[in-house]
Amino acid sequence: MTGTTTLTPKGQVTIPKVVRERMGLKPFDQIEFYIEDGETKLRKAFPSLEEVAGSLPPLGMPVEEAIRLTKEDRARRLTDKLRG
């Protein structure tokens, strides 16, 4: 599946309809761009822990501590991935 689009002077692009439909993207969905193996990819972004914290059951620790631990773990995994 491919789709071609043009980068605007403001650095914006329109995601081709075939890609939006295949990914199930709807207006106002957040997307995330990332680079993997020299290719730029996009995926639907999911809410952060901060955004859903109020809907979580009690964690047995303060939410701020859970967020800090999650961020540390994510940073460690990213560092490990970048080191190869």
Side-chain angles (χ1 to χ4, degrees):
M1 170 187 50
T2 62
T4 303
T5 190
T6 301
L7 186 68
T8 70
K10 290 185 177 184
Q12 299 169 327
V13 296
T14 299
I15 300 169
K17 184 177 180 181
V18 64
V19 175
R20 292 191 316 265
E21 288 176 346
R22 181 81 180 264
M23 294 180 68
L25 295 173
K26 299 176 210 76
F28 306 106
D29 281 348
Q30 291 190 357
I31 58 170
E32 178 179 37
F33 288 87
Y34 63 102
I35 299 173
E36 185 176 276
D37 299 325
E39 294 183 346
T40 303
K41 300 180 179 186
L42 71 98
R43 62 182 163 214
K44 188 172 185 176
F46 294 97
S48 68
L49 183 57
E50 291 96 336
E51 293 171 313
V52 298
S55 64
L56 294 174
L59 301 172
M61 69 177 76
V63 171
E64 294 80 11
E65 179 69 5
I67 291 169
R68 185 187 65 75
L69 291 172
T70 301
K71 287 180 178 179
E72 286 178 3
D73 181 62
R74 184 174 182 181
R76 182 187 46 77
R77 285 186 282 129
L78 179 59
T79 302
D80 290 348
K81 185 175 182 178
L82 292 172
R83 288 183 181 157

